[in-house]
Amino acid sequence: MKLLVIEDEVKLAEYLQKGLGEEGFVVDITHNGIDGLHLATEQAYDLIVLDGMLPGIDGLAVLAALRQSRQTPVIMLTARAQVEDRVKGLQGGADDYLVKPFAFSELVARIHVLLRRGLQQQNTPEATLLRMADLELDLIRRRATRAGQRLDLTAKEFNLLSLLLRRRGEVLSRTDLASQVWDMNFDSETNVVEVAVRRLRLKLDAPFDTALLHTVRGMGYVLELRAATQG
């Protein structure tokens, strides 16, 4: 899941980027309304955390402009506790509101609620549940099981497996995985992808008779059920 944080308090924005990253999200940050609106309309985000008071364009103006073309879920942040301010934000199209200072755990909980609501509104089993052979991923509960056994995955491992399962049968290069799971440009000196795949394979395949995650030499990795289990 990819989030955008539009917050002019640099330290708070960096804190949220770090904390939400540790929760398994890919997070972009920007510190003014103009850049925030540009990113929000030009790129695809699963949710936006939007400060109400911003330089350039304030949060309500960003929200109004965004709602002209996008229905991305928005949580607004404000230092103002007045009911009128919250009502303006919600009437302007915000999905939720948090008054500063707030607990990080509450923000994370509210993000998950909005993301879960979005998945449920799609009203298709595929939107919330991914399956292949005896592997099952529950995207709402962020739970992975194989042959009925729970797989103890980290946030990044779950995101990696989710991407591979969504694109089952398709060979994904290290560049693809690095950009979509870690939101980073591929660096030939970095072995983060190989390490993550190796750890995922130990949990996904090693305890079971049939391998699902395969290496395609010189090309990348693919999740598929093969008649003969090779590499």
Side-chain angles (χ1 to χ4, degrees):
M1 294 287 185
K2 189 171 185 178
L3 311 183
L4 173 63
V5 174
I6 309 174
E7 168 60 64
D8 65 328
E9 295 181 41
V10 176
K11 288 186 178 180
L12 175 58
E14 292 176 348
Y15 169 76
L16 293 178
Q17 184 179 42
K18 182 177 184 296
L20 292 171
E22 291 173 352
E23 292 289 328
F25 297 105
V26 173
V27 185
D28 289 342
I29 60 173
T30 185
H31 306 300
N32 64 75
I34 295 173
D35 291 340
L37 179 60
H38 175 75
L39 285 174
T41 53
E42 293 298 318
Q43 297 193 34
Y45 292 99
D46 295 288
L47 183 140
I48 297 170
V49 178
L50 174 63
D51 185 32
M53 299 292 290
L54 293 167
I57 307 175
D58 71 21
L60 287 175
V62 170
L63 182 60
L66 176 66
R67 287 293 179 250
Q68 299 286 328
S69 59
R70 297 288 183 95
Q71 295 304 313
T72 309
V74 173
I75 297 178
M76 289 203 73
L77 306 179
T78 182
R80 297 174 177 175
Q82 288 85 354
V83 173
E84 293 81 3
D85 291 312
R86 298 198 296 273
V87 169
K88 284 181 182 179
L90 294 171
Q91 289 179 337
D95 298 274
D96 204 348
Y97 226 96
L98 267 180
V99 177
K100 298 178 181 178
F102 54 86
F104 177 73
S105 58
E106 182 179 2
L107 174 62
V108 172
R110 289 173 182 253
I111 288 173
H112 281 299
V113 167
L114 289 179
L115 293 176
R116 186 183 309 128
R117 184 186 304 166
L119 288 171
Q120 290 171 335
Q121 287 174 349
Q122 293 179 40
N123 200 31
T124 59
E126 291 78 12
T128 61
L129 211 58
L130 300 176
R131 292 190 183 97
M132 189 184 79
D134 58 355
L135 172 65
E136 182 175 291
L137 259 66
D138 187 327
L139 300 181
I140 291 180
R141 296 177 177 84
R142 290 185 68 81
R143 178 179 299 171
T145 59
R146 183 161 184 201
Q149 298 181 38
R150 178 78 174 268
L151 303 181
D152 185 18
L153 304 180
T154 66
K156 287 298 185 187
E157 288 166 352
F158 185 91
N159 292 345
L160 175 59
L161 182 55
S162 174
L163 174 61
L164 289 163
L165 189 50
R166 287 178 185 278
R167 297 173 65 176
R168 70 195 74 176
E170 180 180 346
V171 178
L172 299 178
S173 69
R174 289 185 295 169
T175 302
D176 292 330
L177 298 178
S179 64
Q180 295 189 52
V181 177
W182 286 269
D183 195 31
M184 58 182 276
N185 294 323
F186 179 71
D187 181 349
S188 59
E189 299 300 318
T190 300
N191 67 344
V192 63
V193 174
E194 289 88 342
V195 170
V197 168
R198 184 164 61 249
R199 290 176 176 170
L200 176 59
R201 185 176 273 136
L202 287 173
K203 299 177 181 180
L204 175 68
D205 287 339
F208 303 95
D209 294 332
T210 304
L212 298 177
L213 179 53
H214 306 276
T215 300
V216 181
R217 300 195 183 283
M219 297 180 65
Y221 305 95
V222 60
L223 195 74
E224 63 182 1
L225 184 62
R226 295 180 176 178
T229 58
Q230 302 174 7

